[in-house]
Amino acid sequence: MNEIMTEIKITKVKESRVNQVDLENVTMGFNFTDHMFICNYNNGEWHNPRIEPLALIPTHPAAMALHYGQAIFEGMKATLGKDGTPLLFRPLENAKRMNFSADRMGMPLFPEDLFVEALKQFTAIEKNWIPTKKGSALYLRPFIYADEPFIGMRAATSFKFMIIASPAGPFFSRKIKLYAEKKYVRAVNGGTGEAKAAGNYAAAIRPTEYAKAKGYDQVLWLDAHDFEYIQEVGTMNIFFKIDGKFITPSLTGSILSGITRMSVIDLLRSKGFEVIERTIKISEIIEASQNRTLEEAFGTGTAVGIAMIEEIGNNDLSIKFPEENPVSVMVNDTLNAIKVQDIKDEFGWIVEAK
Ligand code: COI
């Protein structure tokens, strides 16, 4: 990283709005912190990294992100450690994934060291916005979008990388129901499903509305060819415990590589559980349910954390999970405890933001 890039220009608000928000009873996505991080890309390089008061960003109506969807994002959470230091969870993994997404979407890569440094400085400035209630955190949203005004099909030449943040309470406070979708698909091999591209989420909105109208919380996506292999859930990866072993769909090219997913695999293995990454058919889950070897299931995601699953269904299917899910609870509690330094981070996941 060159010198100009390491220097982040900081302009702070005169007065914080944090006292206007009840941080202990907050829902993610509605309130935004005082500042934003911005960095511009043009003439083939990133420049002018800065933290400024949160404000509207002037956008040309021909900005290419609005028309062709060159837009990607990340999600991560900041917590407070025992001595009040703001903590980030595996920020380098987000930096790497953002660049994987950028590459797939024909966008410029963002320097990983600047990504982490920007997050540290931004989070340190927004420290007072980090909620402390169990399961709460400050949700950080890094994103890149094409801001070049142009009509025509090619990669943009001008982009913005930004970070904004929103205080977040626990996402689900109960077990959830998933709708096994057999009409719409999220992704195909060779498509953009592995990237955290805005368009993947746009394509999921209508099917998610349909699933919600039927009483489900999120969609369980199946493969685009046979509607048989389990892929991922609306905003999560998925784990099943069958006959003592954990199984999660392998990353076959259309599934997002979740950072919570990779952390849960390591955590479970460190506790002595066998975790198998492989393709898994929904018929296997039905069979395991029938022969009573289906023990637990949960979704993993940054926003959601660990979401225990109660049921998977659709019009002609209903798989109910046992009421008790002790390992899922352990995973949730352990991750939360690591994030606030209640237990030691043996994995080296936590990075101090100071
Ligand atoms: C996250 O878990 O960080 C996500 O990106 C999901 C988001 C759509 C709420």
Side-chain angles (χ1 to χ4, degrees):
M1 195 179 1
N2 63 37
E3 283 220 353
I4 306 163
M5 288 295 285
T6 48
E7 212 176 285
I8 298 173
K9 190 171 168 246
I10 295 174
T11 313
K12 288 195 188 168
V13 289
K14 289 203 177 70
E15 203 179 333
S16 173
R17 286 176 287 101
V18 70
N19 294 332
Q20 297 168 19
V21 179
D22 178 4
L23 289 182
E24 301 315 315
N25 291 295
V26 84
T27 304
M28 179 182 135
F30 288 94
N31 301 286
F32 296 92
T33 60
D34 293 317
H35 301 90
M36 59 187 183
F37 174 88
I38 315 184
C39 191
N40 297 81
Y41 180 91
N42 45 41
N43 298 323
E45 60 181 31
W46 290 103
H47 59 91
N48 195 12
R50 57 208 189 269
I51 293 172
E52 294 177 349
L54 183 78
L56 300 183
I57 36 175
T59 303
H60 194 287
M64 291 176 78
L66 300 179
H67 301 262
Y68 315 113
Q70 261 192 314
I72 56 175
F73 68 94
E74 277 301 314
M76 46 205 308
K77 279 180 172 170
T79 41
L80 283 181
K82 279 251 168 283
D83 64 355
T85 303
L87 306 173
L88 299 170
F89 188 77
R90 310 188 79 176
L92 189 57
E93 295 301 331
N94 290 89
K96 288 183 192 158
R97 191 173 63 183
M98 173 153 261
N99 279 342
F100 174 86
S101 303
D103 185 49
R104 175 63 186 84
M105 303 303 288
M107 300 163 77
L109 307 195
F110 193 79
E112 287 173 3
D113 45 4
L114 181 60
F115 181 101
V116 174
E117 185 56 32
L119 276 160
K120 282 185 183 176
Q121 293 196 26
F122 178 77
T123 307
I125 287 176
E126 304 296 44
K127 179 182 161 176
N128 293 342
W129 286 86
I130 303 177
T132 51
K133 200 163 119 181
K134 196 171 172 227
S136 300
L138 181 62
Y139 184 83
L140 300 160
R141 169 54 62 82
F143 60 104
I144 305 180
Y145 70 99
D147 65 355
E148 180 189 350
F150 177 69
I151 291 182
M153 243 328 263
R154 59 155 170 78
T157 59
S158 151
F159 295 86
K160 275 196 180 69
F161 170 86
M162 300 189 62
I163 305 170
I164 53 171
S166 172
F171 204 90
F172 289 118
S173 47
R174 55 173 174 78
K175 289 191 182 180
I176 59 166
K177 294 184 185 184
L178 305 181
Y179 182 73
E181 178 58 67
K182 295 218 166 173
K183 178 176 175 194
Y184 301 104
V185 298
R186 176 187 172 275
V188 291
N189 284 358
T192 60
E194 258 187 316
K196 209 160 168 64
N200 292 340
Y201 294 80
I205 286 173
R206 187 64 90 204
T208 305
E209 283 177 354
Y210 290 148
K212 284 189 175 165
K214 293 186 180 102
Y216 296 89
D217 296 288
Q218 288 201 356
V219 170
L220 175 69
W221 297 107
L222 303 173
D223 73 278
H225 282 282
D226 308 312
F227 291 94
E228 181 60 59
Y229 291 96
I230 292 172
Q231 303 246 296
E232 62 179 82
V233 181
T235 61
M236 303 179 269
N237 296 111
I238 190 163
F239 286 73
F240 297 96
K241 183 164 179 259
I242 300 177
D243 209 10
K245 295 175 189 155
F246 279 91
I247 305 172
T248 189
S250 41
L251 304 175
T252 47
S254 55
I255 296 175
L256 188 79
S257 174
I259 291 155
T260 313
R261 175 189 181 276
M262 64 172 84
S263 309
V264 166
I265 292 174
D266 290 350
L267 178 63
L268 284 170
R269 287 185 178 149
S270 78
K271 301 278 178 194
F273 289 100
E274 188 174 342
V275 185
I276 306 159
E277 293 179 75
R278 66 165 171 84
T279 53
I280 176 162
K281 289 182 170 186
I282 189 143
S283 53
E284 285 183 58
I285 308 299
I286 298 170
E287 204 183 301
S289 170
Q290 284 162 352
N291 67 26
R292 295 180 183 278
T293 53
L294 184 60
E295 295 169 19
E296 303 186 32
F298 57 83
T300 62
T302 297
V304 166
I306 305 295
M308 323 286 170
I309 297 166
E310 166 184 341
E311 185 186 339
I312 294 177
N314 69 17
N315 300 336
D316 47 28
L317 165 83
S318 172
I319 306 169
K320 296 247 170 37
F321 289 82
E323 271 189 25
E324 300 295 316
N325 41 10
V327 187
S328 315
V329 172
M330 178 279 289
V331 169
N332 188 36
D333 290 349
T334 308
L335 278 181
N336 283 337
I338 290 174
K339 288 180 184 171
V340 294
Q341 293 178 321
D342 270 348
I343 58 175
K344 195 166 170 270
D345 168 24
E346 286 163 14
F347 303 91
W349 288 337
I350 297 297
V351 171
E352 293 190 341
K354 60 178 185 189

